[in-house]
Amino acid sequence: MLPADPFSPGSIRVYGIHVSKAAPIARLDEVQGDMNTHDGYVMDVAYPPHFHKEIQPVWLASLAQFLGTAAPDITRPYSCCELGCGMGINLLVAAATNPLGQFVGVDANDKALAIARAAAKSVGLTNVHFVHADFAHFAQSNNLFFDFIVSHGVWSWIAPNQQRNILQLVAKFLKPKGLFYLHYMCHPGATPMVPIQALLNDLAKQLPGTSEEKLSAALDFVCQLDLAGAFVDQPQLSDKIRALKQKPPGYLAHDFLTDHWAPQHSVDIHRLVAQAGMTFLGSANALENLDKLSVPGAMQPLLSNLASPALRERVKDLARNQHQRSDLFQRAPTPLGQQDALRQVDALRFQALPKASLPGAVTFKTPIGEIQGPSEVFSPPLERLAEGPATFAELRQLPAFSDALGTLSQSLQMLMWNGDIHPQRPDGLDTSEHVSRLAAWIERNQLKLQIAADCGTAVHRLDDD
């Protein structure tokens, strides 16, 4: 049981945090403030719903095991902190489906946290705790230690001093073997949008109305520039600008109306995180750990000749035109030998998800184009998992993988990335009561999520494109 909230909501003045990050799960007027922005951040617009499977503990622990390191033991009580949790949808799912976990969410927006707390109370969750604080106050006042610290959609939108506060938190409160997930915008994919974001933000400051109204008017002007030929020599940028018109203004206001919008080079991020005592493991995006599938074939020999891991990541970013990264770091990792690594992966149990592809060839739509997954590789695991859950050890007994462990590992990670399968929770505990209540709450609030309780996660519903 977590201690009582050591912070008094309303007693902490919040500065320099990207706020209101999560989904609108009540009336919009419940999350609107009196001012449009606060220290350069949008305050008067609710953020659209976003659930991220990559920050759930079962996913993170499984990816770390695939990457050959000893992950936090989630068969025993563990703890997880989300920095910038917004209204807490990720933590609500995690807490309802992972009874051994204790979860803490930190955010600057007390109105968003009030909704998160009310939701947790209505579901009957006692293993999730929401803290109203900026990262500096939390770093000073927190006395808990965590097996997982995650932050999605925050780093690239906050001031450098708040980024340092995140790293201070990780350095002080992440346990040995603990995993740190950091999502951020990166070069070169996000680079072309730097001047567009600056223009949208500057225009919005000169316009009246709400943040949504300002963003819409500013975007209309940028589209007029596009029609006038301002980006005729940058057709990809022109396409991106036109695509923005199809997205909700509330989402765009949060994305672009900030004074601290800044993509970074992965090598610079890795250097900063290393100074906080973390070692880069790989990506929480399973596809990005498979160079043979995520990097153009002609570039792979050049990539393999680079001795520096940081330099390889930089080249992979170029190869993929990467615009955002979901990096996974670990404190004091324990690299495993081949047999120990196989032993822990053997124990992973997988199940098919509701959106699973049918047996046969699978088409994967990747950032470098479509990849045709051959039937002889993907049919066997899909057919077996359609019958019921199976461990890696059981799947490698299939004839197609008897002498091809690497192929099995890659195929399972591709199917995980594609949303076809997912590792199961290893604890086997009953979560039906809380899951049923959370599912009802999700339905009432019209969130397009379906809980996958045995996997400790949720999936986007079939009718959600």
Side-chain angles (χ1 to χ4, degrees):
M1 183 72 66
L2 289 168
D5 189 345
F7 301 95
S8 174
S11 66
I12 298 174
R13 295 301 298 263
V14 180
Y15 298 97
I17 279 193
H18 185 213
V19 296
S20 192
K21 181 175 76 71
I25 35 186
R27 300 192 319 272
L28 289 183
D29 60 1
E30 292 181 340
V31 294
Q32 291 180 344
D34 296 328
M35 299 176 64
N36 286 356
T37 63
H38 189 75
D39 194 30
Y41 293 95
V42 170
M43 291 288 287
D44 65 331
V45 178
Y47 199 87
H50 283 94
F51 174 80
H52 304 288
K53 66 181 180 183
E54 294 85 2
I55 66 175
Q56 301 300 307
V58 175
W59 179 277
L60 290 172
S62 300
L63 258 291
Q65 291 173 320
F66 272 120
L67 290 167
T69 187
D73 185 359
I74 58 175
T75 66
R76 305 174 65 181
Y78 62 89
S79 55
C80 177
C81 176
E82 183 180 1
L83 302 174
C85 66
M87 297 182 200
I89 183 61
N90 289 290
L91 291 176
L92 293 170
V93 171
T97 60
N98 294 275
L100 290 181
Q102 294 286 340
F103 299 91
V104 175
V106 182
D107 204 279
N109 190 328
D110 57 339
K111 293 182 177 66
L113 293 181
I115 294 173
R117 289 172 176 147
K121 182 177 181 181
S122 71
V123 176
L125 298 173
T126 59
N127 62 334
V128 63
H129 177 69
F130 295 101
V131 177
H132 174 225
D134 71 1
F135 299 148
H137 281 91
F138 187 64
Q140 294 167 5
S141 305
N142 175 61
N143 60 0
L144 304 173
F145 293 88
F146 302 102
D147 298 285
F148 303 88
I149 297 178
V150 301
S151 183
H152 188 102
V154 175
W155 180 274
S156 296
W157 294 264
I158 59 176
N161 66 303
Q162 289 292 345
Q163 294 173 346
R164 290 192 292 271
N165 291 330
I166 287 179
L167 297 181
Q168 181 185 0
L169 280 162
V170 173
K172 289 177 64 175
F173 301 117
L174 189 64
K175 298 178 185 179
K177 296 185 182 179
L179 296 174
F180 172 46
Y181 166 102
L182 183 64
H183 166 269
Y184 55 95
M185 290 188 296
C186 68
H187 302 294
T191 310
M193 291 301 294
V194 171
I196 301 302
Q197 185 276 329
L199 177 58
L200 288 170
N201 194 35
D202 288 343
L203 285 169
K205 291 177 180 178
Q206 309 300 317
L207 296 168
T210 67
S211 294
E212 284 183 302
E213 292 167 342
K214 292 179 177 184
L215 184 283
S216 294
L219 183 57
D220 284 343
F221 180 78
V222 172
C223 288
Q224 290 174 23
L225 291 177
D226 181 31
L227 290 173
F231 315 113
V232 67
D233 60 340
Q234 304 176 72
Q236 290 184 335
L237 180 57
S238 183
D239 290 342
K240 289 182 179 180
I241 291 170
R242 294 168 188 169
L244 293 180
K245 292 291 289 184
Q246 309 305 315
K247 296 184 178 180
Y251 165 79
L252 296 177
H254 276 274
D255 194 358
F256 291 110
L257 303 189
T258 168
D259 296 335
H260 305 292
W261 197 94
Q264 291 180 261
H265 294 286
S266 59
V267 65
D268 296 328
I269 296 294
H270 292 185
R271 186 181 300 114
L272 288 173
V273 178
Q275 292 171 0
M278 302 296 112
T279 298
F280 175 67
L281 296 182
S283 177
N285 179 322
L287 173 68
E288 292 170 6
N289 296 322
L290 307 175
D291 292 348
K292 292 183 178 179
L293 299 174
S294 62
V295 175
M299 295 187 64
Q300 291 170 16
L302 300 173
L303 190 66
S304 63
N305 290 332
L306 297 174
S308 165
L311 191 54
R312 285 199 299 272
E313 292 304 309
R314 185 190 286 274
V315 171
K316 286 193 284 187
D317 288 344
L318 287 169
R320 300 168 180 150
N321 193 34
Q322 194 100 5
H323 73 280
Q324 60 182 1
R325 290 180 60 107
S326 301
D327 286 346
L328 188 57
F329 303 87
Q330 188 170 35
R331 175 186 293 284
T334 303
L336 301 177
Q338 185 175 359
Q339 291 303 313
D340 288 336
L342 179 59
R343 189 176 301 113
Q344 70 172 9
V345 172
D346 265 348
L348 293 176
R349 182 178 295 275
F350 299 87
Q351 77 172 51
L353 293 176
K355 295 176 65 175
S357 300
L358 295 175
V362 180
T363 300
F364 299 98
K365 297 180 179 179
T366 79
I368 64 169
E370 289 191 352
I371 294 176
Q372 300 299 321
S375 176
E376 59 269 24
V377 171
F378 289 98
S379 278
L382 287 171
E383 289 174 354
R384 174 59 183 84
L385 294 175
E387 299 171 358
T391 64
F392 187 92
E394 292 168 336
L395 291 170
R396 68 185 177 96
Q397 301 305 313
L398 296 171
F401 306 114
S402 58
D403 295 314
L405 293 183
T407 301
L408 175 60
S409 176
Q410 291 188 13
S411 65
L412 293 179
Q413 291 180 71
M414 284 291 287
L415 291 171
M416 287 172 58
W417 172 79
N418 204 43
D420 296 302
I421 67 172
H422 197 287
Q424 287 190 329
R425 287 185 293 115
D427 57 71
L429 297 174
D430 179 25
T431 61
S432 57
E433 181 179 354
H434 288 142
V435 166
S436 176
R437 292 179 181 178
L438 181 59
W441 179 86
I442 287 173
E443 188 67 26
R444 286 196 304 272
N445 289 282
Q446 300 180 351
L447 299 181
K448 294 183 177 182
L449 289 176
Q450 179 177 344
I451 300 174
D454 290 339
C455 297
T457 191
V459 297
H460 295 283
R461 284 213 311 255
L462 292 175
D463 59 345
D464 184 11
D465 296 330

